[in-house]
Amino acid sequence: MELLWVLYGVLLISAIVLVPRMLRGRGMRAAAAVDPARYGFVPREEIDIRLPGPDDELTRALTATQRTQDWRAVAALLKGTPAEGEIRWQRVQTLAGAAAVELAQTPGQGAAWLRTWRVEDPKDAGGAAVHAAFLVQRARREPAGSPDVPMILEEARTVAAEAALLAPGDPVPYIVELAGGGDFEAAWEKIVSRAPHHMGAHLAALARLPEDASRDFAERAASAAPVGSLLPALPLFQVFAHLPEVILVRSFYESEVVSRAIGGALYATEHASPSDAVLPVVRHLLAAFLLRAERFPEAVEQFRAVDGYAGAAPWAYEADPAAAYTAHRAQALAGLQWSSERGHTR
């Protein structure tokens, strides 16, 4: 399952093909009557679907590049982005996702800035990393069973290897290689030697593992995570990746497994640095699970923390991410209003 070619390329964390089954829910009629402006939320038309959360530098650079098709703005941004932490991975995925969306919208013409970047500065490590991630995301967009996928992924791994040579200490090329179907053990060893607690890397690895192995992997990573890491949220992504096709039990989202995963994600968000680039990604998924568990005040709190953005799972799997995000945000607000009224009458 793949998560996050999500984010319109935010994280290959995308990496976990998660089907938006959890978006099928109740309460749309009541939610339609809720005015989000009353609660201080951003209107649908102002939602940015490119990113999961605020990154003003990235927004400015990407907007300039998409407007002018000049790659230098995003290249300069990546040159100044350190390999440590999650932000470089996040930015590479966002740029790759933006290019993939452009190409899908205007086949043969979109994402000219990325092609030009690679031609004019082939030794730029950032350009190589974005190109490799773009190829992985492009492969994810191919129809199931397409004979082009193996060829595209092979090219992605070749470009990722180029990126690794250009930036030896950067874990991002190896994460792209992992997400693109490269040798798991070899790529994982190189990743952990550079960034042992990298959330994006763990999400990419999670996508490569079968259900039982992915559950053990997520639980081990969460239990060994240092304070301040977002890895305690990993079991929630594992649950999302393996949601049943049909959820017959109404209390599924209140079950012990799901409640424990939600608890881990809440712990992670409470202890992570507010500047952690992956924190909004966790909050988006957490908001969706809290909503389904009918924990409305907590869901609204998470929606408020990420409001204005919809470039993350689960919304990014929808044809209209902004519409999916705002509809479920409205459900959470309707639930909050309902629970408030019910509490008042007791």
Side-chain angles (χ1 to χ4, degrees):
M1 304 278 289
E2 158 164 335
L3 162 48
L4 294 163
W5 62 262
V6 156
L7 326 175
Y8 269 118
V10 181
L11 238 24
L12 244 158
I13 260 198
S14 317
I16 303 188
V17 187
L18 310 168
V19 184
R21 291 182 290 267
M22 73 182 310
L23 296 186
R24 304 167 190 162
R26 308 183 308 277
M28 285 296 190
R29 224 175 299 171
V34 173
D35 178 10
R38 173 186 165 193
Y39 295 88
F41 282 99
V42 172
R44 171 178 166 180
E45 58 272 16
E46 294 179 19
I47 300 291
D48 190 335
I49 65 171
R50 300 173 300 176
L51 286 78
D55 183 339
D56 293 341
E57 289 182 315
L58 176 58
T59 300
R60 285 194 297 271
L62 178 55
T63 299
T65 288
Q66 290 185 313
R67 185 181 68 251
T68 65
Q69 290 297 298
D70 186 337
W71 54 271
R72 289 173 181 81
V74 293
L77 176 70
L78 282 187
K79 274 186 170 66
T81 302
E84 299 78 26
E86 306 276 348
I87 191 166
R88 185 173 178 84
W89 169 243
Q90 176 90 339
R91 286 175 170 178
V92 165
Q93 290 309 308
T94 299
L95 294 173
V101 170
E102 281 187 39
L103 184 62
Q105 290 174 341
T106 54
Q109 298 179 26
W113 57 269
L114 178 56
R115 293 192 296 276
T116 307
W117 185 1
R118 294 292 286 137
V119 169
E120 294 184 355
D121 196 353
K123 299 300 183 184
D124 186 332
V130 172
H131 184 197
F134 160 78
L135 289 166
V136 174
Q137 293 193 34
R138 183 179 152 201
R140 301 292 185 237
R141 292 172 171 272
E142 288 291 313
S146 168
D148 294 333
V149 169
M151 180 179 64
I152 296 171
L153 290 178
E154 183 178 355
E155 184 183 359
R157 294 191 292 271
T158 299
V159 178
E162 288 178 34
L165 290 173
L166 292 166
D170 187 355
V172 170
Y174 298 107
I175 303 173
V176 178
E177 180 185 343
L178 184 68
D183 181 277
F184 186 97
E185 296 299 335
W188 187 246
E189 183 180 345
K190 290 167 184 171
I191 290 166
V192 296
S193 69
R194 291 163 174 79
H197 305 296
H198 197 290
M199 182 68 169
H202 280 77
L203 286 164
L206 198 65
R208 292 283 304 277
L209 298 169
E211 184 170 0
D212 288 346
S214 70
R215 186 183 304 113
D216 292 343
F217 176 83
E219 289 175 357
R220 283 198 308 272
S223 64
V227 176
S229 167
L230 285 169
L231 287 174
L234 199 60
L236 188 68
F237 287 90
Q238 194 279 333
V239 170
F240 182 37
H242 297 284
L243 285 174
E245 268 312 323
V246 179
I247 296 174
L248 299 174
V249 181
R250 184 175 177 181
S251 60
F252 172 82
Y253 288 101
E254 299 165 30
S255 67
E256 183 182 352
V257 169
V258 176
S259 295
R260 194 166 62 242
I262 288 175
L266 282 168
Y267 173 87
T269 60
E270 288 162 4
H271 290 83
S273 166
S275 62
D276 193 310
V278 186
L279 179 57
V281 175
V282 175
R283 289 194 186 279
H284 279 284
L285 191 62
L286 183 54
F289 269 89
L290 288 167
L291 171 60
R292 287 289 162 261
E294 300 186 356
R295 294 166 61 169
F296 302 118
E298 293 168 287
V300 169
E301 183 181 346
Q302 298 302 323
F303 277 113
R304 191 174 296 284
V306 295
D307 199 46
Y309 301 88
W315 335 114
Y317 293 104
E318 295 290 294
D320 187 339
Y325 169 81
T326 53
H328 288 81
R329 182 186 68 185
Q331 283 190 59
L333 290 170
L336 178 66
Q337 189 172 289
W338 171 80
S339 59
S340 248
E341 291 168 357
R342 187 179 62 170
H344 181 70
T345 57
R346 282 184 174 179

